[in-house]
């Protein structure tokens, strides 16, 4: 979308956005987040009250409809974001937290620098205030749900006011390009040389899955039977331990009745015991604070195999 900032004719900009959004919407549902950006661009180029300035926005909207899933795709996006098993659940939807280290601090730093950069350019702020306003909206959304931090970061860089002054009092574009390239190479090298071997133990059941992998549950059916787990840990268990699991975080693809049963078990509601007997789970891995964990601690047919600060692993009692 940065290309749309360049001096282009209405036809060229409209064609560019039609192509961008046709690709974007077919790759990821976040394409709808690009529409406010195009709207502001059209608003800032609105001259002589000519509606032609909004042709790029119309082109982007039409392109969004040209997705392989059809118009129903947008209904799905709404159902996904408003799904009770998804919204507000899991680390990516959680509110802002410094527990993620450098990423959290980088977000705060970028937010401060963005505000300062716009404030310094007072002569352009009168014209470009919509960019700052939209960027702050994304920042607020990122505080509510960290999932939006990446979108805020892209928009913050995109919305920065252009540099002013002569070539003698600022670093040339070529120099900045070389500096950026060098920094990118260094950062990439650091990431490659420091591979992440394990996830954050304060967010994922690292210790309990270590135990599950090293000391798997015994029994004739244990290799075939899956375990009951917290939905956001399902894929982690499968990849790390090669064990079957009851549910993963793709809960929007599961039938409603299935999600209801999962939630009822997690909350240890009446009837969960019979469901457990029928399912013959070989293990249970859930958050320590959830009602199911508290209930199973009181049961003689389940024993605590391992636990850490956030999770507890149960095996059937012998």
């Amino acid at each position: 979308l940065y290309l749309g900032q360049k001096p282009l004719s209405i036809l060229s900009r409209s064609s560019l956005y039609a192509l961008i959004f046709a690709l974007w919407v077919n790759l990821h549902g976040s394409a709808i987040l690009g529409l406010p950006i195009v709207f502001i661009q059209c608003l800032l180029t609105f001259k002589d009250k000519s509606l032609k300035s909004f042709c790029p926005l119309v082109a982007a909207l039409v392109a969004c409809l040209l997705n392989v899933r059809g118009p129903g795709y947008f209904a799905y996006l709404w159902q996904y974001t408003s799904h009770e098993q998804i919204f507000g659940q899991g680390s990516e939807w959680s509110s802002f937290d410094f527990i993620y280290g450098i990423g959290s601090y980088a977000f705060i730093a970028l937010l401060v620098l963005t505000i300062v950069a716009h404030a310094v350019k007072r002569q352009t702020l009168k014209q470009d205030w919509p960019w700052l306003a939209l960027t702050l909206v994304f920042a607020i959304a990122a505080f509510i749900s960290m999932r939006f931090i990446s979108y805020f970061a892209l928009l913050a860089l995109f919305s920065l006011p252009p540099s002013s002054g002569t070539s003698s009092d600022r670093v040339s574009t070529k120099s900045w390009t070389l500096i950026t390239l060098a920094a990118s190479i260094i950062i990439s090298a650091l990431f490659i040389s420091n591979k992440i071997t394990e996830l954050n133990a304060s967010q994922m059941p690292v210790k309990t899955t270590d135990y599950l992998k090293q000391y798997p549950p015994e029994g004739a059916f244990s290799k075939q039977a899956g375990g009951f787990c917290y939905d956001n840990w399902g894929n982690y268990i499968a990849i790390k331990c090669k064990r079957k699991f009851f549910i993963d975080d793709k809960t929007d693809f599961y039938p409603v009745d299935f999600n209801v049963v999962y939630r009822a078990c997690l909350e240890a509601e009446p009837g969960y015991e019979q469901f457990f007997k029928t399912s013959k789970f070989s293990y249970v891995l859930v958050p320590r604070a959830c009602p199911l964990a508290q209930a199973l601690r009181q049961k003689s047919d389940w024993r605590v195999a391992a636990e850490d600060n956030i999770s507890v692993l149960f095996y059937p009692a012998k």
Side-chain angles (χ1 to χ4, degrees):
L1 289 178
Y2 180 76
L3 296 174
Q5 298 280 65
K6 304 297 182 181
L8 298 172
S9 66
I10 295 296
L11 179 60
S12 297
R13 185 175 287 109
S14 299
S15 301
L16 175 64
Y17 286 163
L19 176 61
I20 289 174
F21 279 86
L23 291 172
W24 191 355
V25 76
N26 281 286
L27 292 173
H28 201 270
S30 60
I32 57 176
L33 298 179
L35 295 176
I37 297 176
V38 178
F39 174 75
I40 291 179
Q41 284 184 330
C42 295
L43 195 63
L44 295 178
T45 58
F46 185 58
K47 299 178 180 178
D48 301 325
K49 296 182 179 181
S50 174
L51 295 179
K52 291 182 179 180
S53 300
F54 290 93
C55 286
L57 178 61
V58 175
L61 287 169
V62 172
C64 280
L65 298 176
L66 301 178
N67 66 83
V68 295
R69 302 166 184 85
Y73 181 50
F74 300 100
Y76 162 75
L77 290 178
W78 170 252
Q79 292 171 2
Y80 174 80
T81 54
S82 61
H83 198 291
E84 62 178 3
Q85 292 287 129
I86 295 174
F87 188 74
Q89 303 291 326
S91 57
E92 65 176 341
W93 285 101
S94 62
S95 57
F96 178 77
D97 196 328
F98 282 107
I99 198 172
Y100 292 95
I102 190 173
S104 302
Y105 293 106
F107 164 62
I108 297 296
L110 183 58
L111 175 58
V112 172
L113 289 173
T114 300
I115 296 175
V116 171
H118 280 278
V120 169
K121 299 291 183 179
R122 295 180 180 178
Q123 66 274 21
T124 60
L125 185 57
K126 293 181 179 179
Q127 178 183 357
D128 294 337
W129 67 264
W131 288 127
L132 178 58
L134 183 61
T135 304
L136 292 179
V137 168
F138 271 72
I140 293 173
F143 277 109
I144 298 174
S145 173
M146 295 187 73
R147 185 185 182 99
F148 288 94
I149 285 183
S150 57
Y151 301 119
F152 156 78
L154 290 172
L155 181 60
L157 297 174
F158 172 81
S159 66
L160 288 176
S163 177
S164 61
T166 62
S167 58
S168 60
D169 60 18
R170 70 171 186 266
V171 180
S172 67
T173 302
K174 184 176 181 180
S175 298
W176 271 115
T177 302
L178 293 175
I179 292 173
T180 303
L181 179 61
S184 300
I185 293 175
I186 293 173
I187 293 174
S188 299
L190 289 174
F191 273 111
I192 293 174
S193 61
N194 294 279
K195 294 181 180 180
I196 298 176
T197 57
E198 187 52 271
L199 298 183
N200 193 329
S202 62
Q203 293 291 316
M204 298 296 286
V206 175
K207 294 182 179 180
T208 47
T209 49
D210 283 343
Y211 187 93
L212 177 63
K213 182 178 181 179
Q214 188 173 0
Y215 305 103
E218 300 176 353
F221 68 92
S222 61
K223 292 184 179 180
Q224 291 76 31
F228 184 88
C229 64
Y230 182 53
D231 58 351
N232 285 318
W233 298 345
N235 289 324
Y236 178 65
I237 295 171
I239 294 173
K240 181 177 179 178
C241 306
K242 304 296 189 294
R243 307 294 302 186
K244 293 181 179 180
F245 56 91
F246 181 70
I247 193 172
D248 60 18
D249 56 1
K250 305 296 183 187
T251 48
D252 52 318
F253 291 105
Y254 290 109
V256 175
D257 293 343
F258 186 87
N259 286 321
V260 170
V261 170
Y262 161 69
R263 180 60 64 180
C265 290
L266 198 64
E267 298 296 329
E269 295 179 358
Y272 86 91
E273 295 168 298
Q274 182 58 42
F275 180 77
F276 267 42
K277 290 180 180 179
T278 303
S279 301
K280 296 182 179 179
F281 292 124
S282 60
Y283 66 89
V284 174
L285 180 59
V286 291
R288 290 184 61 183
C290 78
L292 179 60
Q294 307 305 320
L296 292 185
R297 289 181 187 274
Q298 309 300 321
K299 300 295 181 181
S300 59
D301 51 345
W302 289 94
R303 64 180 179 87
V304 175
E307 62 181 311
D308 53 29
N309 292 332
I310 66 167
S311 65
V312 56
L313 173 66
F314 293 93
Y315 281 176
K318 295 182 180 180

